[in-house]
Amino acid sequence: MTNAEIADALDELAVLYQLDGADRYRILAYVNSARSVRSEPRSVEDLAIEGKVTELDGVGKTLEEKIVALVETGEIPAATKLKEKIPPGLIEINRIPGLGPKTVRRLHEELGVDGPADLRKAAEAGKVQELKGLGPKVEENILSGLDRLAEEPEGPSRLRLDEVLPVARELVEALRADPACDRAEVAGSVRRMADTCKDLDLIATSDEPRALATRIAEHPLIGNRGNPSEKGVKLETNSGVGVDVRIVPPDAFGNLLQHFTGSAAHNTELRETAVAEGLHVSEHGITDDKTGEVECFDSEQGVYERLGYEYIEPELREGHGELEAAREGRLPKLVTRKMIKGDLHTHTTLSDGRATLEEMAEAAIALGYEYIAVTDHSASHGFGNDVSPKELEARIAEIAELNAKFRKSRSKAKKGFRLLAGSEVNIGVDGKLDYEEDLLDELDWVIASVHTSFRDDPDFMTGRLREAIENPLVDCIGHLTGRLLNQRDPYPVDIEALVEAAAASGTAMEINGNPRRRDLSDVHARLAAEAGVEIALTTDAHDPAHFDYMEYAVATARRAWLGPKQVLNTRSWWK
Ligand code: DGT
Ligand code: CA
Ligand code: CA
Ligand code: ZN
């Protein structure tokens, strides 16, 4: 049983308890345990059998019993019992966003609804809005929710890049360490550093492909495996990530890597252009249609060069004009992680960060940064841990003191390092900020972000953001669209209008590198930079470990065709 299957069973049990009216804490316990099972890289089935499953966060004795029963018998007795009294259709209905278990129970008890079909009938007949406390809005929401359920019965199946990238790297290392392996590389959407990925594509070259495929299938991260052959093997990790491993002979490494890196749109355009020139491109080589001769390349550079292109970085291969640009030799020199001199969006324990000012500074110095802006939340960010004007004043003084210390330090890294006094100020419903202008004026760096009052109203959202953009005290707009990948859609804003306003007022926009956000998106960042908006690559670190999110910010920037000149924090702060 894979971790994903175990987590699904625990999530289902949580829903069953919810529909049965159990108390909140019990339900939370199952939801939390499902989450830790899902993100566990080791096989949870093995842990359960070895009596070690309580090592997982949120898994105590009660849950251990249930997980052991599940892996031994295929079911959890408590769930089986609940399923006897709760119609399965109610579990499905419960997935409609905004429709809680309490309402689902009432629909069942008061309208006799047992599943999606009943519910649609009731809603279309206007019966739902007649129930006490429910109105036409709820009914409308139910109908659109039912449409979406029908389109997407399994929920979002794509995984965020950060959920697959570490697995990809570990498996490629394992392939490379195998004596039968010549070369191995990550391919597909993971290599292109897309926001989300359907599965993981790995390629390898080998003279003993079947042996290599057989051994990688035995890797401890792997839960399910297909039949290894000399072409490769299809696998699934313990956490439910599909893995395609493809193997070819060593001399065609470049062709294979190019093919399986994609994207499909990029490859289709590449092939069609080649056909017009009498060449046939595949994962095995480039065939000259006239002579039938096949050319293999051990590097992608070789493939692109043979077809008349300069080398195209994987992040650009989305069929967004990169082939034409490569043919004409006008691809941008992309920004890299090494060019980044500091991080302009970080939090500390003053608001909701987990590390102190000193700890964040030390971590930044260890990374070789010249500066970080400390941008704790403002006076009314709405989630507790607000920073009062007085506290911010004290913080500014504290930063000045620390900077003086750094300046006198004998370590070169510390001597060249500065903390920037900043804030991530909440944008109110009217676009106003929640600190006095005099206080904001004392800061080195002001980010303005929306954290509250999201509305499905483009005029309202655009209006308040524009107000913040045009405020001369604002240096940068944080996570412009508020999207959370797989979780929350971007709120509706008129991007073009905001980009234009930012270009006119000289306000920067960030690419927030938190892999749940990556906001601006690649498409929006490209639009903004082309309009002349300066882009800041940030991590929104709430912990020193989050400084690593810079990799995702850089990836989005590269996917947006950005060069170092368009990125604000490739520059030193003072020079
Ligand atoms: P994903 O998995 O949806 O996140 O995106 P990819 O790009 O990884 O897509 P995937 O895994 O279906 O296929 C990996 C690569 O293989 C893809 O980027 C290009 C190549 N490929 C797959 N199917 C086709 C196809 O039908 N035509 C062409 N030209 N290439 C394909
Ligand atoms: Ca893929
Ligand atoms: Ca694939
Ligand atoms: Zn933040």
Side-chain angles (χ1 to χ4, degrees):
M1 209 169 212
T2 64
N3 295 0
E5 287 164 335
I6 296 171
D8 286 346
L10 293 171
D11 273 332
E12 187 190 61
L13 184 57
V15 172
L16 286 165
Y17 274 130
Q18 263 180 314
L19 292 172
D20 196 43
D23 75 80
R24 214 159 65 83
Y25 294 101
R26 183 168 204 181
I27 294 157
L28 260 180
Y30 290 104
V31 172
N32 287 337
S33 65
R35 190 178 307 142
S36 51
V37 167
R38 212 178 285 284
S39 61
E40 172 59 43
R42 295 170 295 175
S43 159
V44 173
E45 173 168 5
D46 290 349
L47 290 175
I49 291 164
E50 293 159 17
K52 290 199 269 188
V53 76
T54 49
E55 283 176 16
L56 300 184
D57 269 356
V59 177
K61 274 279 156 221
T62 319
L63 267 149
E64 176 177 37
E65 220 172 84
K66 295 201 157 67
I67 294 172
V68 169
L70 179 64
V71 300
E72 282 176 354
T73 68
E75 52 186 43
I76 303 174
T80 313
K81 228 192 239 158
L82 285 166
K83 278 185 200 163
E84 280 165 16
K85 59 176 183 176
I86 296 169
L90 295 189
I91 300 177
E92 244 178 284
I93 297 174
N94 192 61
R95 294 218 321 266
I96 295 175
L99 195 59
K102 269 199 194 128
T103 312
V104 173
R105 278 178 66 194
R106 286 187 57 201
L107 292 168
H108 174 61
E109 282 160 12
E110 295 173 39
L111 295 178
V113 165
D114 275 347
D118 296 340
L119 181 58
R120 185 181 291 278
K121 239 188 252 160
E124 278 169 353
K127 291 215 173 107
V128 173
Q129 56 173 305
E130 287 167 12
L131 293 189
K132 206 172 154 222
L134 308 185
K137 263 238 153 92
V138 176
E139 196 166 78
E140 227 173 83
N141 175 44
I142 284 177
L143 282 168
S144 70
L146 283 168
D147 290 342
R148 231 172 301 154
L149 270 194
E151 283 165 23
E152 201 187 343
E154 292 292 317
S157 61
R158 296 182 68 81
L159 297 151
R160 281 192 329 263
L161 182 59
D162 60 303
E163 297 174 302
V164 291
L165 192 57
V167 181
R169 288 181 174 155
E170 188 169 344
L171 289 175
V172 161
E173 281 315 311
L175 283 168
R176 287 179 184 154
D178 193 295
C181 178
D182 169 48
R183 295 164 78 183
E185 195 55 79
V186 180
S189 52
V190 181
R191 181 160 183 249
R192 303 196 310 276
M193 301 291 276
D195 292 337
T196 62
C197 308
K198 175 194 68 194
D199 67 354
L200 185 50
D201 301 280
L202 305 178
I203 64 142
T205 47
S206 171
D207 290 322
E208 305 164 68
R210 192 186 290 268
L212 182 60
T214 307
R215 280 193 294 262
I216 194 66
E218 294 304 322
H219 191 280
L221 285 178
I222 300 305
N224 285 328
R225 44 190 69 74
N227 287 330
S229 74
E230 59 275 354
K231 288 192 172 137
V233 62
K234 271 189 182 298
L235 306 169
E236 196 184 305
T237 67
N238 289 315
S239 38
V241 181
V243 185
D244 274 349
V245 183
R246 290 169 170 110
I247 310 175
V248 293
D251 61 344
F253 182 83
N255 303 85
L256 182 70
L257 181 58
Q258 194 288 320
H259 176 82
F260 285 113
T261 297
S263 64
H266 174 89
N267 284 358
T268 306
E269 195 183 329
L270 184 81
R271 287 176 178 205
E272 281 170 5
T273 316
V275 165
E277 290 164 12
L279 298 171
H280 184 87
V281 183
S282 83
E283 61 265 52
H284 306 292
I286 299 174
T287 312
D288 188 323
D289 289 340
K290 246 192 251 140
T291 62
E293 204 181 307
V294 182
E295 280 179 279
C296 292
F297 296 90
D298 66 0
S299 78
E300 286 186 310
Q301 276 83 352
V303 175
Y304 282 110
E305 202 175 295
R306 173 69 185 87
L307 297 170
Y309 301 96
E310 64 174 313
Y311 176 70
I312 304 173
E313 298 283 358
E315 294 93 329
L316 296 179
R317 301 184 199 168
E318 295 292 348
H320 292 160
E322 70 279 6
L323 283 163
E324 203 187 319
R327 197 172 269 277
E328 295 164 7
R330 53 175 177 82
L331 280 176
K333 282 267 168 295
L334 299 179
V335 64
T336 65
R337 172 76 182 75
K338 272 210 182 106
M339 297 172 182
I340 302 299
K341 295 210 160 77
D343 197 329
L344 291 168
H345 186 161
T346 71
H347 296 267
T348 72
T349 45
L350 186 61
S351 63
D352 56 355
R354 288 195 283 269
T356 63
L357 181 64
E358 281 90 344
E359 285 165 342
M360 292 299 277
E362 291 295 337
I365 291 165
L367 285 174
Y369 280 155
E370 293 180 8
Y371 53 87
I372 60 169
V374 183
T375 54
D376 277 301
H377 292 292
S378 59
S380 66
H381 130 265
F383 298 99
N385 313 102
D386 297 338
V387 178
S388 70
K390 229 172 129 187
E391 288 173 306
L392 185 57
E393 288 280 9
R395 170 49 63 90
I396 296 171
E398 202 181 342
I399 284 176
E401 241 170 75
L402 266 173
N403 280 341
K405 238 199 258 172
F406 292 140
R407 209 169 286 134
K408 283 188 230 137
S409 169
R410 264 185 286 168
S411 127
K412 211 176 142 204
K414 278 193 185 175
K415 204 177 174 62
F417 180 80
R418 293 294 177 274
L419 288 167
L420 307 176
S423 176
E424 182 181 17
V425 189
N426 200 29
I427 300 174
V429 282
D430 52 1
K432 297 277 186 288
L433 309 182
D434 57 357
Y435 286 130
E436 296 291 334
E437 293 191 355
D438 287 350
L439 180 53
L440 290 174
D441 208 21
E442 281 182 57
L443 296 170
D444 300 310
W445 178 249
V446 175
I447 302 175
S449 314
V450 171
H451 288 113
T452 49
S453 312
F454 299 178
R455 271 186 226 160
D456 194 17
D457 175 351
D459 290 340
F460 168 74
M461 296 306 291
T462 305
R464 60 200 280 220
L465 275 157
R466 185 203 299 274
E467 180 83 19
I469 287 169
E470 289 174 349
N471 185 331
L473 291 164
V474 171
D475 298 301
C476 181
I477 298 296
H479 42 74
L480 183 73
T481 74
R483 73 169 181 175
L484 294 176
L485 292 164
N486 282 346
Q487 226 176 307
R488 183 170 77 203
D489 286 339
Y491 37 70
V493 286
D494 182 341
I495 300 280
E496 272 100 354
L498 293 180
V499 158
E500 211 173 286
S505 66
T507 310
M509 288 183 174
E510 76 169 354
I511 294 176
N512 188 303
N514 181 322
R516 293 169 194 275
R517 293 190 181 272
R518 297 182 75 181
D519 184 8
L520 305 172
S521 67
D522 44 15
V523 172
H524 290 166
R526 187 171 172 186
L527 192 88
E530 276 172 3
V533 176
E534 284 200 301
I535 307 293
L537 304 190
T538 73
T539 65
D540 206 349
H542 284 64
D543 185 299
H546 298 168
F547 280 133
D548 289 346
Y549 291 164
M550 192 56 80
E551 181 175 19
Y552 298 104
V554 170
T556 293
R558 290 168 65 84
R559 291 173 59 80
W561 294 49
L562 299 194
K565 287 213 175 80
Q566 293 162 300
V567 175
L568 210 146
N569 46 326
T570 55
R571 281 170 241 152
S572 295
W573 192 258
W574 291 270
K575 279 163 240 164

